[in-house]
Amino acid sequence: VSVELVMALWLHDVAEDVAKDDKERQALFGEIEQFFGSQVAEMVRGLTNPSKGLKAPREVRKQMDRTHLSHQRREVKIGKKLDRIDNLQESIEDIQAGRITSVKDLQFNGIYVEESAMLADVLSGAHEALEVELRTTIKVLKWLVVQKLGQHQ
């Protein structure tokens, strides 16, 4: 993994969480390019979900994000795999530690699992070892969610 990808992985969350709309996001991309260079800015653009802030239904937004990622270069896809693995592992840890217990939050994690599986299909082929880790982590979270939801019945 390149230093540029590591920087882009940190910065894409800033672009998604700080910018209120596409205009602000584009301005932020320009600042990132100015400070970190065009290669980092290009990767940040590739990693950033274009649907962020749109009012469309979640399924539509997530499909838009997957389509965007399907056109990215290999290194960006590897970065997205790393990012998703980290997010899934955080959910696993939160469930195991008892920080996620409500039916609503568990059901959301079930949706996130399904979205992650569809994302894994789009990112397929970019890095075999990460592919295995991503799909395994998805299975672990799915199993935990099913177990915890079963305890609520």
Side-chain angles (χ1 to χ4, degrees):
V1 175
S2 69
V3 171
E4 291 81 10
L5 180 58
V6 172
M7 287 190 286
L9 283 164
W10 282 103
L11 292 167
H12 95 277
D13 283 331
V14 173
E16 288 180 350
D17 298 340
V18 172
K20 294 180 199 113
D21 54 32
D22 191 55
K23 184 178 179 182
E24 282 189 17
R25 196 168 18 262
Q26 294 307 319
L28 188 58
F29 291 153
E31 290 178 26
I32 289 169
E33 185 167 354
Q34 180 182 358
F35 286 100
F36 298 99
S38 61
Q39 186 177 6
V40 171
E42 178 189 335
M43 285 190 255
V44 171
R45 281 184 187 94
L47 290 164
T48 300
N49 290 330
S51 72
K52 192 71 170 184
L54 296 180
K55 302 294 185 212
R58 184 175 179 90
E59 302 83 31
V60 172
R61 289 183 287 115
K62 294 306 167 184
Q63 179 59 53
M64 175 190 258
D65 297 338
R66 287 190 302 272
T67 299
H68 169 74
L69 280 165
S70 72
H71 300 292
Q72 301 304 313
R73 64 186 188 162
R74 181 177 184 271
E75 190 170 21
V76 170
K77 290 179 179 181
I78 289 170
K80 190 53 112 173
K81 281 183 181 184
L82 290 167
D83 183 55
R84 184 53 61 109
I85 290 166
D86 181 63
N87 293 342
L88 290 163
Q89 288 174 339
E90 187 176 337
S91 289
I92 289 168
E93 291 167 11
D94 285 347
I95 291 171
Q96 290 174 329
R99 292 186 291 269
I100 293 177
T101 58
S102 74
V103 170
K104 180 182 175 186
D105 289 343
L106 290 166
Q107 287 172 335
F108 173 78
N109 273 274
I111 293 167
Y112 193 68
V113 160
E114 298 307 319
E115 292 170 352
S116 296
M118 289 185 280
L119 180 64
D121 292 341
V122 169
L123 301 175
S124 181
H127 189 288
E128 190 174 330
L130 287 176
E131 175 87 15
V132 170
E133 185 173 354
L134 176 57
R135 292 192 185 275
T136 301
T137 307
I138 290 167
K139 287 178 185 177
V140 169
L141 180 56
K142 183 175 184 173
W143 181 84
L144 269 175
V145 167
V146 167
Q147 295 301 310
K148 294 296 182 179
L149 283 171
Q151 293 173 6
H152 282 280
Q153 293 180 346

